[in-house]
Amino acid sequence: MSLITRRIFAATAAASATGLAAPALAQGAFPNRPVSMVIPFAAGGPTDTVGRLIAQAMSTDLGQPVVVENVGGAGGTLGAQRVANARPDGHTILLHHIGMATIPTLYRRLSYDAINGFETIGLVTEVPMTLVARRNIEATNLAELVALIRQRGEALNYANAGIGAASHLCGLLLMKAVDTRMTTVPYRGTGPAMNDLVAGTVDIMCDQTTNTTEHIRGGTIRAFAVTTNERVPSLGDLPTAAQGGLPGLEVSIWHGLYAPRATPAPIVARLNQALVKALQDEGIGRRFADLGTAPVAVARATPQVHRDFWQADIAKWRPLIQAAGQFAD
């Protein structure tokens, strides 16, 4: 071997060793700078509230700040795209809600892979929904409301916060459960929709406990059921939909954490460890209870359980969205 050949060989070997060592070093030192938690909605909403609580608790375990970055717009797809296209080193993660299960069907033209563009880190929480109506509606319980919907059909207005919103999805499930269509009235957000429900301009709505509890307690709207399989402690007198005679109406707004595809498994595991510790924090439990929810059980906070749950929800919502023929693009 000539001197030149030996030098080329040595240089190549050194470069290869450096290339292999760099990721290993990065993984071993993770995180070596602040972690950005992208929330694909504006500050102040329910998902933002959940994300900020989790970010603060995860920061303590990771030893680095977890900084919330609100990247709103396009039904949550802009923030999701930001993370899908980020460097897969664990320093950019996504906190998103049930929209991760509906985006693949609602949006037929995306610039990122809405299913395979992410590694799941773990589920965070499930926020119950409540079926509510204007306070003077001609029904006093769920059975009477179902009868009224079937009798009046499209003469009743169902308000939602826009295509793909939690209230929109719950409405699709409600109309399927009662096998009757109502007139859908989409708004640009929950606030305007709730204002019109309180004013009696629209008839029926379904939304998260984080948005409806105060109105229910104040008597400005009438509540009929929660859409989970257990009652909500903060609304203990309110039956579940199944208890009220409508077992087909079961939906919650779950939140989960994601990393970009190809993020190394040790980094995903480290992020999951921080998430699990956050979910076990008593302060987090108290704050979530104030929002009408609770952290998921630790057994449900694993990356694999999260992925299986997410994929099952995609399959659940796809036929409903396609049958409604309402798409966001």
Side-chain angles (χ1 to χ4, degrees):
M1 182 182 296
S2 70
L3 177 60
I4 293 176
T5 302
R6 285 198 300 271
R7 286 177 176 172
I8 292 173
F9 179 83
T12 302
S16 298
T18 301
L20 290 172
L25 178 63
Q27 290 179 31
F30 176 82
N32 53 31
R33 63 181 186 276
V35 174
S36 175
M37 178 186 287
V38 173
I39 295 177
F41 304 101
T47 301
D48 180 70
T49 300
V50 168
R52 288 179 186 274
L53 290 171
I54 290 297
Q56 183 177 8
M58 289 179 66
S59 297
T60 301
D61 184 68
L62 291 172
Q64 290 282 353
V66 178
V67 181
V68 168
E69 181 182 355
N70 295 98
V71 183
T77 61
L78 294 184
Q81 177 182 309
R82 157 96 164 76
V83 176
N85 295 335
R87 184 176 179 182
D89 61 4
H91 289 94
T92 303
I93 59 178
L94 173 71
L95 186 134
H96 208 322
H97 60 29
I98 191 174
M100 286 292 283
T102 59
I103 283 171
T105 307
L106 279 171
Y107 291 83
R108 294 163 294 181
R109 293 178 292 275
L110 289 170
S111 58
Y112 69 98
D113 191 330
I115 298 176
N116 300 310
F118 304 91
E119 305 292 343
T120 48
I121 297 172
L123 290 169
V124 176
T125 185
E126 289 189 75
V127 181
M129 304 283 285
T130 48
L131 178 59
V132 295
R134 53 182 168 83
R135 60 183 173 181
N136 61 345
I137 198 164
E138 303 85 346
T140 59
N141 57 48
L142 183 56
E144 291 179 2
L145 182 67
V146 169
L148 184 67
I149 293 171
R150 287 173 174 160
Q151 175 190 353
R152 298 184 60 187
E154 292 185 344
L156 290 175
N157 294 322
Y158 177 87
N160 67 51
I163 293 178
S167 49
H168 170 234
L169 300 175
C170 189
L172 292 179
L173 205 60
L174 171 62
M175 286 184 272
K176 179 185 178 184
V178 299
D179 194 27
T180 306
R181 294 187 65 84
M182 293 179 281
T183 297
T184 300
V185 183
Y187 288 78
R188 291 187 176 181
T190 299
M194 182 57 71
N195 288 342
D196 274 6
L197 188 71
V198 171
T201 306
V202 290
D203 301 306
I204 299 171
M205 187 174 171
C206 185
D207 207 5
Q208 301 177 56
T209 53
T210 50
N211 296 327
T212 61
T213 298
E214 288 188 8
H215 290 286
I216 293 170
R217 290 174 176 171
T220 57
I221 59 177
R222 182 173 293 176
F224 292 89
V226 293
T227 64
T228 47
N229 56 18
E230 294 182 0
R231 294 194 181 203
V232 176
S234 58
L235 297 168
D237 294 334
L238 197 60
T240 68
Q243 290 170 341
L246 198 62
L249 184 62
E250 185 174 329
V251 57
S252 60
I253 304 307
W254 52 268
H255 297 78
L257 275 179
Y258 306 81
R261 180 177 58 186
T263 299
I267 291 179
V268 172
R270 181 68 185 92
L271 289 165
N272 175 260
Q273 175 186 313
L275 171 62
V276 168
K277 288 192 175 181
L279 296 177
Q280 294 174 310
D281 184 274
E282 292 183 0
I284 292 291
R286 288 192 296 270
R287 289 291 290 115
F288 275 21
D290 291 340
L291 299 172
T293 185
V296 300
V298 170
R300 297 188 64 213
T302 69
Q304 189 58 54
V305 169
H306 181 184
R307 179 164 290 278
D308 291 344
F309 182 83
W310 175 29
Q311 299 303 308
D313 234 28
I314 291 173
K316 170 184 176 178
W317 290 109
R318 180 178 287 125
L320 288 173
I321 294 169
Q322 290 174 336
Q326 298 175 335
F327 301 97
D329 55 14

